Amino acid sequence: MGGLQCCQSQTASTAEEIPIEQNDSNGVQLDGQGPPQTTVAGSPALVSDDQIFSDIDDAELKIFSSAFETFDPVEGLVGFDHMLLRAYICEHTCITEDSLDIILFQQEEGEGAQPALSLPAFSGIMRSFAIHDREMAQGWATISDGSDSVASPDARTGLVMMASDESVEVSEQQMDRMLNGVMAAAGPVVGREEWCTYAVHVARCLRAMRLR
């Protein structure tokens, strides 16, 4: 997938805020530096903590469905050139603007002249690229000291540290509830692959809490 190094198939780093100077024809604010920023994030309180922690797939579907409707789909499809669609994906996944078209064309649907994306394909992209591989590698290196596995409490600590770097405030109670669910099946020792699966789940939960 070219130079893209996101965690795909297990399913975000949020784009930095930049000065706003003008709007494009779709109403997206631009400054000429990288992808346009968007605050499209579904309806307020669209999903609860309980929904996010108990069924992240369903919680994300509600959030992504609400966002998708703001892209003005025609017969259930949104063109690849829709600026709000592109901005939303780049802002709320680890996909860069340079790599976006590669990902989109792998999900192309419709038989018209304009390449387009459906809600299921859009949701799949959002889920598959919730966190960058580099973030997980750094998180694992911090807790493992070169080992192939760590004690379960250390694995949990690593997830807490990773979560603290995200742009969403999480209370101690919310963190405990989230990690209790994410690590419900964890044994006394956690391997790297298992920890990365937990990290993807945590990243998706945190993003849902930010976008709801």
Side-chain angles (χ1 to χ4, degrees):
M1 209 171 281
L4 186 62
Q5 297 179 345
C6 298
C7 178
Q8 184 179 13
S9 78
Q10 291 192 71
T11 48
S13 57
T14 304
E16 296 180 357
E17 293 295 328
I18 55 178
I20 302 301
E21 296 182 359
Q22 62 182 14
N23 293 340
D24 78 348
S25 59
N26 283 314
V28 182
Q29 294 176 316
L30 304 170
D31 76 338
Q33 302 178 28
Q37 301 297 292
T38 175
T39 57
V40 176
S43 303
L46 193 61
V47 293
S48 66
D49 284 352
D50 286 341
Q51 291 173 306
I52 292 172
F53 300 154
S54 65
D55 191 343
I56 185 59
D57 288 342
D58 186 63
E60 284 181 327
L61 181 58
K62 289 182 173 66
I63 293 170
F64 299 152
S65 295
S66 180
F68 193 77
E69 286 303 310
T70 69
F71 308 147
D72 303 318
V74 177
E75 297 183 355
L77 298 173
V78 177
F80 289 177
D81 60 349
H82 195 292
M83 296 305 293
L84 277 178
L85 170 73
R86 299 177 69 88
Y88 190 95
I89 293 174
C90 288
E91 187 174 354
H92 301 304
T93 69
C94 62
I95 299 173
T96 64
E97 179 69 20
D98 290 341
S99 302
L100 179 57
D101 283 326
I102 298 173
I103 305 302
L104 291 177
F105 276 102
Q106 291 176 345
Q107 302 292 331
E108 182 178 356
E109 299 186 45
E111 299 179 356
Q114 183 184 45
L117 201 67
S118 67
L119 173 59
F122 168 68
S123 298
I125 289 173
M126 297 298 297
R127 288 172 176 150
S128 296
F129 296 94
I131 185 173
H132 203 291
D133 284 344
R134 182 175 59 249
E135 292 182 59
M136 291 189 292
Q138 292 173 343
W140 177 255
T142 299
I143 62 174
S144 67
D145 194 26
S147 175
D148 291 332
S149 61
V150 298
S152 188
D154 292 334
R156 187 183 179 101
T157 297
L159 295 175
V160 171
M161 291 190 295
M162 186 191 77
S164 67
D165 291 334
E166 297 294 323
S167 59
V168 57
E169 292 187 7
V170 181
S171 69
E172 184 175 348
Q173 182 181 31
Q174 287 174 314
M175 183 71 74
D176 284 341
R177 290 174 60 199
M178 177 174 63
L179 294 184
N180 287 345
V182 169
M183 297 188 65
V189 175
V190 174
R192 174 173 179 158
E193 183 176 349
E194 184 180 7
W195 187 86
C196 287
T197 299
Y198 296 153
V200 171
H201 195 161
V202 168
R204 292 172 65 193
C205 286
L206 293 174
R207 181 178 60 186
M209 294 173 70
R210 184 173 69 248
L211 297 181
R212 62 184 172 182

